[in-house]
Amino acid sequence: MDLAILDVVAPPFAVKGSPATFRVHLKTVLPAPVDVRIEARCNGQTAATENIRVGEKGEQVCVLSVVPGETGRFRYTVQVTALEQERLPPRNNAQDVVVNVRDEKVRVLLLDWKPRWETRFALNILQRLNYIDLNSII
């Protein structure tokens, strides 16, 4: 029996006062579904928490929304509560991520001499990132 964090996907940048999304990938090998608590901690304080129900076997994704209050580079520890019946050490129940928090969005200028599918692809991705202020000229 085991409950583990496989991966935490966090943005490299976040904007002070705006939510940043952490996607937590969990792996479960349990006899029955259980309720667990996932939390993100920074400097000893809880930044976000989520209660979810995990299944018996397989992988599951949980989304945490963290709103940073200060600028700088911060290490967040994302952890899931250990179950009493777990047989593996609880060190696989936590993972660290580093996020650079800024006062304002990252400014990106995209220049291209003609419309191309590569430019459209890059624009599509950059427009979806909530920490980027995009200006494009084609």
Side-chain angles (χ1 to χ4, degrees), residues 2 15 21 28 30 36 39 60 84 86 90 105 110 114 116 123 127 133 137:
D2 188 33
V15 180
T21 303
T28 58
L30 302 170
V36 296
E39 64 180 6
Q60 188 170 342
E84 292 178 11
E86 278 192 75
K105 294 182 176 186
L110 181 70
K114 70 176 184 176
R116 300 179 298 152
L123 284 172
Q127 289 170 344
D133 182 15
I137 300 172

Side-chain angles (χ1 to χ4, degrees), residues 112-121 138:
D112 203 350
W113 66 285
K114 70 176 184 176
R116 300 179 298 152
W117 72 268
E118 295 94 343
T119 308
R120 207 165 105 184
F121 178 78
I138 300 179

Side-chain angles (χ1 to χ4, degrees), residues 42-116:
C42 182
N43 296 331
Q45 297 181 348
T46 301
T49 184
E50 186 75 31
N51 293 320
I52 65 165
R53 186 160 190 83
V54 293
E56 297 173 18
K57 292 184 180 180
E59 293 183 21
Q60 188 170 342
V61 177
C62 173
V63 177
L64 289 174
S65 183
V66 176
V67 180
E70 299 179 32
T71 58
R73 184 171 290 176
F74 296 99
R75 178 180 306 274
Y76 288 89
T77 301
V78 178
Q79 59 189 15
V80 62
T81 54
L83 302 174
E84 292 178 11
Q85 56 268 45
E86 278 192 75
R87 299 212 172 127
L88 294 176
R91 67 177 173 257
N92 68 357
N93 291 11
Q95 191 168 21
D96 292 343
V97 293
V98 176
V99 178
N100 189 359
V101 181
R102 302 169 48 99
D103 281 326
E104 54 189 40
K105 294 182 176 186
V106 176
R107 293 186 179 147
V108 175
L109 175 63
L110 181 70
L111 303 171
D112 203 350
W113 66 285
K114 70 176 184 176
R116 300 179 298 152

Side-chain angles (χ1 to χ4, degrees), residues 108 110 121-130 132-134:
V108 175
L110 181 70
F121 178 78
L123 284 172
N124 189 13
I125 290 187
L126 291 173
Q127 289 170 344
R128 294 178 188 205
L129 300 175
N130 63 355
I132 287 187
D133 182 15
L134 178 64

